[in-house]
């Protein structure tokens, strides 16, 4: 087990380096000079521009810039923005909001998706199953931002059930609708995954054995069917935390949430490599760690899986 | 494969001859002219019986025809807009009404199909080629080759798509078109297909018929191309069909963020994004382009579902 975790952690290193290098290179390759853009139409004094370049290592070759940045990251120094704020402060402001949003979306899709998927899988081919399946297909087919517009308009503006935008007031109540929208597509996938998995496991030998032993139906369904059906679902949910946080940019735009998305968008437009790369790096790390966690959960859920 | 046997039996009336009645040599009289059963003909026979398949196929055909020949469906110019018609209700010849800029919504919905279909089809072809090649090579040859390719796949998988797309589309700020959007989607879309292909190839490569091909002296490349890939194709086709739908959604999302197709190209995504501000006064501005997009994506997902069920012998039995 320890050896397995160690190997997985080692595999994370090249992925981490590769991802940061790739993003750093992409931001470096952006057209336009970010320093000159700071001066606006009047332009900067060449001496000032030179000083800013030296301060942010922009006068050095690409690979040196990247290595200097990497050196900083290892000591948890993520650099500073052009306006002099430390990137760590920027991240400390943006991440909690996005994280809360993503976790709410994840809980929402896990609870609703598994519950509806279980019922649909147990009654495959019946009316409930067909309805739920059709609704999930439509949710997948309609882009997230359309669902966002419609819910915002209907629930927020027309019926005034929930606040239509978040702004500075970040709370469970204001984030409820954005989390619903963010998790909607994944909810449909979780539902379909659970349904297929449950329907397949219902005809498995171990379920027949459990029924033959005389176990009650609820016990067979919860302990034998559901537990085994959750394995692919958990894989999906684990990978989804990272996707939700990275994909929240659209939802954050619609509901005016000051999270990672908006911060990143502005940083990309200003060509602020340290901010962009730092925010992305955290997203990449969340993704990798969530996946590792899921793999370890496997062994707990399925006694047939053992890591040597 | 039990299925293959049972379907062959249908063509062979006397499967074995009783020693008493039949003269020797009756076995040779068995009719062998029937087509041999295989996964693809079985799947096709199964597919033909599914209504879902026909609904999806009809919708896909319709969207493709609309994308190829928009003039057949409307004589209006989608870029002819009069502010006097802003948000006007439907009238004769303009069944969907007008948007904020006074453009005919029906014409824009018809002409918007081309961008979506082009992006979806081109990106899917590119993703299947790149992802399929990487996945097949990694899965078949294994070893350090697999380790390196899998780590590269992981890198592209770990970077959030929307974020990477924003950075790359900023690079093409001056000349965005269908090709740049396809490029972005391909760059960050191939890892999913590479993983699926790798898994499929690995599950096939130890089969007996592969050992037989090797024993007969087939080279490694021939074995991979002629024997492994045809048998690993089913999950790739299913994933690619569903992916085509999600790529169309991705294009719309990029256009919504203002980093997708330029305004000169009529696209559903850009029209949906513009509809946000007129939603309160005229919901149909959002409804038609979003509905057309959803229907297109839905037809590809349904097609993927139907093909998956047809190609899965386990599901077919039920």
């Amino acid at each position: 087990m320890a050896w397995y975790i160690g190997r997985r952690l080692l595999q994370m290193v090249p992925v981490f380096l590769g991802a940061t290098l790739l993003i750093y290179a992409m931001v470096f390759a952006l057209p336009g000079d970010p320093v000159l853009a700071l001066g606006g139409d009047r332009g900067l004094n060449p001496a000032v521009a030179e000083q800013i370049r030296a301060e942010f290592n922009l006068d050095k070759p690409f690979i040196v810039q990247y290595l200097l940045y990497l050196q900083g990251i290892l000591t948890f120094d993520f650099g500073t923005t052009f306006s002099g704020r430390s990137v760590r402060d920027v991240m400390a402001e943006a991440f909690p909001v996005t994280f809360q949003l993503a976790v709410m979306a994840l809980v929402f899709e896990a609870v609703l998706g598994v519950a509806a998927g279980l019922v649909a899988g147990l009654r495959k081919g019946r009316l409930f199953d067909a309805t739920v399946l059709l609704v999930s297909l439509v949710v997948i087919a309609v882009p997230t931002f359309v669902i966002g517009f419609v819910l915002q308009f209907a629930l927020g503006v027309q019926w005034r059930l929930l606040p239509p935008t978040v702004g500075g007031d970040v709370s469970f109540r204001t984030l409820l609708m954005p989390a619903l929208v963010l998790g909607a597509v994944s909810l449909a996938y979780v539902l379909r995954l659970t349904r297929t998995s449950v329907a397949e496991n219902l005809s498995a030998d171990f379920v027949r054995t459990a029924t033959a032993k005389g176990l009650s139906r609820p016990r067979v369904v919860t302990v034998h069917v559901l537990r085994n059906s959750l394995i692919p679902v958990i894989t999906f949910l684990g990978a989804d935390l990272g996707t939700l946080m990275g994909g929240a940019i659209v939802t954050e735009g619609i509901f005016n949430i000051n999270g990672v998305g908006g911060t990143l968008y502005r940083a990309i437009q200003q060509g602020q490599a340290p901010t962009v790369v730092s925010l992305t790096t955290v997203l990449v790390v969340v993704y990798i760690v969530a996946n590792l966690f899921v793999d370890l959960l496997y062994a707990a859920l399925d006694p047939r899986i053992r890591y040597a | 494969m039990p299925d293959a046997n049972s379907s062959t039996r249908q063509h062979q009336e006397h499967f074995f001859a009783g020693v008493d009645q039949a003269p020797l040599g009756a076995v040779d009289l068995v009719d062998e002219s029937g087509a041999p059963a295989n996964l693809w003909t079985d799947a096709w026979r199964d597919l033909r019986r599914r209504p879902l398949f026909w609904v999806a196929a009809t919708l896909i055909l319709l969207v493709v025809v609309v994308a190829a020949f928009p003039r057949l469906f409307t004589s209006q110019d989608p870029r002819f807009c009069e502010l006097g018609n802003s948000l006007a209700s439907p009238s004769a010849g303009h069944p969907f009404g007008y948007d904020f800029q006074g453009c005919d919504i029906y014409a824009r919905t018809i002409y918007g199909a081309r961008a979506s279909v082009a992006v979806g089809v081109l990106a899917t072809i590119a993703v299947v080629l790149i992802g399929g090649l990487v996945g097949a090579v990694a899965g078949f040859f294994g070893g350090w080759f697999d380790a390196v390719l899998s780590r590269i796949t992981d890198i592209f998988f770990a970077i959030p798509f929307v974020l990477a797309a924003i950075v790359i589309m900023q690079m093409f700020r001056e000349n965005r078109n269908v090709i740049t959007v396809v490029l972005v989607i391909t760059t960050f879309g191939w890892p999913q297909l590479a993983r699926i292909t790798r898994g499929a190839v690995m599950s096939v490569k130890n089969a007996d018929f592969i050992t037989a091909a090797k024993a007969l002296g087939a080279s490694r490349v021939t074995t991979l191309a002629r024997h492994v890939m045809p048998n690993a194709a089913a999950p790739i086709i299913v994933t690619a069909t569903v992916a085509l739908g999600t790529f169309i959604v991705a294009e719309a999302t990029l256009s919504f963020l203002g980093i997708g197709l330029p305004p000169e190209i009529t696209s559903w995504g850009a029209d949906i994004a513009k509809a946000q501000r007129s939603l309160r006064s005229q919901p149909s501005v959002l409804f038609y382009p979003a509905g057309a997009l959803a229907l297109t994506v839905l037809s590809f997902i349904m097609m993927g579902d139907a093909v998956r069920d047809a190609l899965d012998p386990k599901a077919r039995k039920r």
Side-chain angles (χ1 to χ4, degrees):
Chain A
M1 189 72 170
W3 195 80
Y4 176 79
I5 298 179
R7 206 186 61 186
R8 285 292 304 258
L9 287 173
L10 270 183
Q11 280 181 353
M12 280 165 64
V13 174
V15 175
F16 174 80
L17 289 178
T20 48
L21 180 65
L22 190 68
I23 294 165
Y24 209 98
M26 287 197 314
V27 178
F28 186 82
L30 283 179
D33 185 335
V35 176
L36 284 187
L38 287 176
D41 287 338
R42 274 161 75 195
L44 279 182
N45 184 332
V48 177
E50 213 49 49
Q51 197 206 338
I52 294 177
R53 285 211 179 86
E55 193 184 330
F56 292 96
N57 297 323
L58 293 173
D59 52 348
K60 302 187 176 63
F62 164 71
I63 196 72
V64 177
Q65 280 188 41
Y66 172 70
L67 289 175
L68 281 171
Y69 171 75
L70 210 60
Q71 189 190 16
I73 276 197
L74 292 178
T75 55
F76 285 95
D77 170 18
F78 291 92
T80 47
T81 66
F82 287 140
S83 49
R85 279 185 79 192
S86 92
V87 175
R88 209 184 333 168
D89 284 354
V90 175
M91 290 204 295
E93 202 176 275
F95 264 105
V97 184
T98 302
F99 189 70
Q100 193 187 346
L101 180 67
V103 169
M104 278 173 70
L106 200 69
V107 170
F108 158 69
E109 69 185 55
V111 173
L112 271 185
V114 169
L118 177 67
V119 176
L122 290 175
R123 303 178 184 186
K124 203 177 173 190
R126 306 263 196 87
L127 184 66
F128 179 82
D129 177 40
T131 317
V132 157
L133 210 57
L134 189 73
V135 171
S136 73
L137 274 178
V138 171
V139 169
I140 294 175
V142 177
T144 308
F145 53 95
V146 175
I147 301 176
F149 289 165
V150 173
L151 277 190
Q152 186 181 40
F153 180 63
L155 296 181
V157 180
Q158 212 71 331
W159 300 327
R160 297 174 188 280
L161 291 175
L162 287 166
T165 56
V166 177
D169 172 29
V170 179
S171 65
F172 178 78
R173 199 176 120 77
T174 52
L175 284 182
L176 195 59
M177 185 158 58
L180 283 174
V181 172
L182 181 62
V185 175
S186 303
L187 166 70
Y189 280 116
V190 169
L191 191 155
R192 286 162 61 90
L193 215 54
T194 314
R195 172 185 173 272
T196 319
S197 196
V198 165
E200 209 165 90
N201 277 330
L202 269 182
S203 55
D205 291 339
F206 60 82
V207 172
R208 199 181 313 127
T209 309
T211 314
K213 275 198 303 190
L215 296 184
S216 69
R217 174 86 173 159
R219 191 167 165 82
V220 173
V221 168
T222 51
V223 177
H224 296 263
V225 176
L226 189 59
R227 188 171 146 174
N228 284 288
S229 305
L230 280 182
I231 293 171
V233 179
I234 298 261
T235 319
F236 179 85
L237 288 174
D240 209 38
L241 179 65
T243 315
L244 286 176
M245 287 182 72
I249 190 161
V250 174
T251 317
E252 288 178 4
I254 297 172
F255 293 100
N256 188 25
I257 302 169
N258 300 314
V260 175
T263 314
L264 257 173
Y265 196 86
R266 283 190 297 276
I268 291 170
Q269 282 188 323
Q270 295 166 355
Q272 303 224 32
T275 316
V276 179
V277 183
S278 302
L279 286 166
T280 316
T281 304
V282 176
L283 289 176
V284 169
V285 169
V286 168
Y287 176 84
I288 300 176
V289 172
N291 273 310
L292 175 64
F293 184 67
V294 161
D295 281 357
L296 297 178
L297 251 183
Y298 274 2
L301 274 173
D302 189 343
R304 287 170 299 189
I305 300 174
R306 285 279 175 269
Y307 295 117
Chain B
M1 284 200 298
D3 271 347
N5 277 333
S6 62
S7 58
T8 349
R9 249 177 236 157
Q10 287 168 2
H11 303 290
Q12 300 170 349
E13 287 203 322
H14 301 285
F15 194 66
F16 54 87
V19 185
D20 295 338
Q21 296 113 17
L24 283 174
V27 175
D28 298 331
L29 296 176
V30 168
D31 179 22
E32 285 179 354
S33 60
N38 72 39
L39 180 67
W40 302 104
T41 51
D42 281 0
W44 171 235
R45 197 180 311 129
D46 182 79
L47 215 48
R48 272 184 312 193
R49 273 191 261 116
R50 286 172 190 271
L52 190 68
F53 166 75
W54 290 110
V55 172
T58 313
L59 280 173
I60 291 174
L61 191 71
L62 177 71
V63 174
V64 170
V65 171
V66 168
F69 312 105
R71 274 166 207 287
L72 287 179
F73 297 86
T74 176
S75 55
Q76 298 291 319
D77 180 353
R79 281 187 267 160
F80 175 77
C81 311
E82 272 186 294
L83 278 176
N85 288 332
S86 179
L87 298 178
S89 305
S91 55
H94 309 281
F96 294 174
Y98 296 88
D99 69 6
F100 189 72
Q101 299 286 341
C103 316
D104 183 79
I105 296 178
Y106 176 70
R108 289 197 71 82
T109 307
I110 291 291
Y111 276 84
R114 180 172 288 178
S116 288
V117 171
V119 167
V121 170
L122 292 177
T124 306
I125 293 173
V127 161
V128 168
L129 286 180
I130 299 174
L133 192 70
V134 171
V137 170
F140 188 67
F141 294 105
W144 65 268
F145 218 71
D146 179 27
V148 171
L149 286 177
S150 290
R151 289 298 83 71
I152 295 176
T153 313
D154 284 350
I155 291 173
F156 282 88
F157 221 80
I159 299 175
F161 167 74
V162 182
L163 202 162
I166 296 174
V167 181
I168 296 187
M169 291 312 276
Q170 284 288 332
M171 286 186 211
F172 296 108
R173 217 174 310 177
E174 307 306 323
N175 42 5
R176 289 175 191 152
N177 53 39
V178 169
I179 299 300
T180 50
V181 173
V182 169
L183 186 85
V184 168
I185 295 178
T186 310
T187 313
F188 291 91
W190 67 266
Q192 189 204 3
L193 228 103
R195 280 194 186 174
I196 299 281
T197 311
R198 177 174 172 270
V201 165
M202 281 172 72
S203 69
V204 171
K205 76 170 180 184
N206 291 324
D208 289 342
F209 61 87
I210 302 300
T211 318
K214 281 186 196 154
L216 286 170
S219 74
R220 301 237 272 176
V221 176
T222 315
T223 313
L224 178 60
R226 298 279 302 279
H227 301 283
V228 176
M229 285 318 281
N231 291 289
I236 302 173
I237 292 172
V238 172
T239 313
T241 316
V242 177
L244 204 158
T246 57
F247 291 160
I248 292 179
V249 175
E251 182 274 315
T253 307
L254 293 185
S255 294
F256 163 74
L257 289 170
I259 50 167
L261 297 168
E264 306 90 79
I265 303 176
T266 312
S267 91
W268 291 332
D271 281 8
I272 295 169
K274 271 187 287 177
Q276 188 183 15
R277 60 183 164 189
S278 349
L279 190 59
R280 283 196 205 193
S281 34
Q282 188 67 280
S284 63
V285 179
L286 174 72
F287 179 77
Y288 290 110
L293 181 94
L295 212 58
T296 309
V297 177
L298 195 62
S299 55
F300 281 103
I301 298 176
M302 288 194 307
M303 178 60 91
D305 272 7
V307 173
R308 176 192 2 243
D309 287 350
L311 282 173
D312 181 5
K314 262 196 290 179
R316 221 186 300 154
K317 243 184 284 174
R318 278 185 218 132

